Structures are given as structure tokens and as C-alpha cells.
Amino acid sequence: MRIEQANPFAYEFEIRNTALVLIDMQRDFIEPGGFGETLGNDVSLLEAIVPATQAALAAWRKAGGLVVHTREAHKPDLSDCPPVKRNRGNPSLRIGDEGPMGRILVAGEPGNQIIDALAPIDGELVIDKPGKGMFYATGLHEVLQQRGITHLLFGGVTTEVCVQTSMREANDRGYDGLLLEDCTESYFPAFKAATLDMIRAQGAIVGWTAPSAALLAALS
Ligand code: C5J
């Protein structure tokens, strides 16, 4: 397969060696009334990518490709949450505190679930990650290697934090990554734009970007 419209140049992949990775599409970041909104963020920006992400997920499932969902999630006793992550700054709610949808960034809480529109189905990987990047303390690299995965298509939130960190981690581990431009979003549009530019700069120094329509066209 070849995505001709990818930036900065065409991206080639085989479905059997490629996974679609959706980063942290969890209720607390995306739904009105969740943690993201309590921080003063406009979550409608993030909600807007759901239809395109749903379409990409449906097409990828139909093609038979591997799907990986991640959640930014800590153990209930917070033993995997470094104190600096919990204590930094002066937020109204800290990790582990009771928020509008249960304890913030704690596994098993309602706000920590993937939104219904993108809910995982049988056979898909669901990775709880205590860091921003999807490889830190998750064992995911070994799982992907066992499955022969060499290429990763990315969507999810937020572009400049967990998505970019995961793409950079993937790049360092030897994966070719492509970020679906309309399947990722930030609470700060300028940060999204800068991240897309950074990823594909200097001859795809981190990876590629492409509109999801280009993936759908390649799969059709
Ligand atoms: C993610 C965050 N998922 N922004 N987390 O990007 O803290």
C-alpha cells in the first residue's frame, strides 16, 4: 500500500505489518463534564475529530489490521505515578483525586474508559500507560515485535503530548510512523500545527502525516 499524499513524501506500508494506534481517546479528555473541561479546556475541539477517527477505525478493522488503543492510566494505589507527575503545578484536581467522572487518570474509573464511539472490540490491544509515551513501562514494543509490526498509523489526543511522545518513542525503536492529521487534536490549535510540522520536518525526522481520507483511499 502507498499513501501518495503523505507528507513530506509517500508512505508505504503493508497491512499485516502495520497497527493503527489510537492514543488516549478517553472520556476524561474528550467528553464535556470530564477532567479536560475542569481544567478550562474547550473539549469541543477534541470531540470534533471523533467522526474522522471512527471512519479510519472502521476502515482499518474492515481491512483486518491490528488496532491498539491506549489510555493514560495509573494503578489505584498510584504506585506507578511518579510524585513529580502528581505534584507539579497548581491544578484544581490532581491525579488520583475524585473528579467529575471518578478518580483522575486511574484505571477502571468511568472517565478513564475509551469513548463509546471508539470502544475497543475483541482482538484489539488496550494498553494502560503510566507515562505520556506508549512504550514506557508497558511492554508494548515486545508485543508489537512478536506480531511483526514495523509500521504504525497514529491518531488520538493530545497531539503535542501523548501522541507526539509516542511517535518519537516509536521512531527511536525503529517503526515508521504516520500521524493521521484529522484524527488528532490538541486543546491548543497552534501546538497541533507545530507538532505536525515538527514530525515531518527534515525529511520525516520523526515520521509522516497525512489526511485520513488518503488512508481510506488506499484501503478502498
Ligand atoms: C495526553 C496529556 N494524553 N495531555 N495527556 O496527551 O496530559
Side-chain angles (χ1 to χ4, degrees), residues 11 24 32 39-40 52 54 57 59 62 66 68 88 94 99 101 112 124 139-140 146-147 152 181 187 192 204 206 214:
Y11 177 81
D24 298 359
L39 296 177
Q54 223 176 355
L57 176 60
K62 193 168 166 212
L66 177 65
V68 180
R88 192 174 296 154
R94 294 184 188 276
M101 295 186 196
N112 206 238
E124 297 180 348
L140 179 59
Q146 278 161 13
R147 292 176 178 243
L152 299 169
E181 295 160 6
Y187 297 122
K192 172 178 175 176
V206 176

Side-chain angles (χ1 to χ4, degrees), residues 62-76:
K62 193 168 166 212
L66 177 65
V67 179
V68 180
H69 303 262
T70 71
R71 298 181 288 217
E72 186 170 350
H74 293 279
K75 295 177 181 163

Side-chain angles (χ1 to χ4, degrees), residues 136-204:
Y136 171 67
T138 62
L140 179 59
H141 181 47
E142 291 69 25
V143 174
L144 294 179
Q145 284 203 307
Q146 278 161 13
R147 292 176 178 243
I149 299 296
T150 54
H151 289 62
L152 299 169
L153 305 171
F154 284 91
V157 299
T158 60
T159 315
E160 78 281 10
V161 186
C162 291
V163 176
Q164 177 167 219
T165 304
S166 296
M167 276 196 84
R168 288 176 182 273
E169 283 186 337
N171 195 42
D172 285 348
R173 286 164 176 77
Y175 298 91
D176 273 336
L178 177 141
L179 178 54
L180 297 168
E181 295 160 6
D182 48 335
C183 299
T184 185
E185 196 47 87
S186 169
Y187 297 122
F188 308 96
F191 288 176
K192 172 178 175 176
T195 302
L196 295 180
D197 283 344
M198 280 188 264
I199 285 168
R200 60 199 173 201
Q202 303 177 74

Side-chain angles (χ1 to χ4, degrees), residues 4 21-22 24-25 53 55 69 100 106 118 123 133 137 148 179 183 186 192:
E4 204 63 54
V21 181
L22 298 181
D24 298 359
M25 294 296 285
T53 309
H69 303 262
V106 170
L118 302 173
L179 178 54
C183 299
S186 169
K192 172 178 175 176

Side-chain angles (χ1 to χ4, degrees), residues 97-125:
D97 289 350
E98 200 64 40
M101 295 186 196
R103 294 180 67 204
I104 304 300
L105 296 190
V106 170
E109 297 290 329
N112 206 238
Q113 304 310 311
I114 308 249
I115 59 170
D116 285 347
L118 302 173
I121 61 174
D122 279 354
E124 297 180 348
L125 303 181

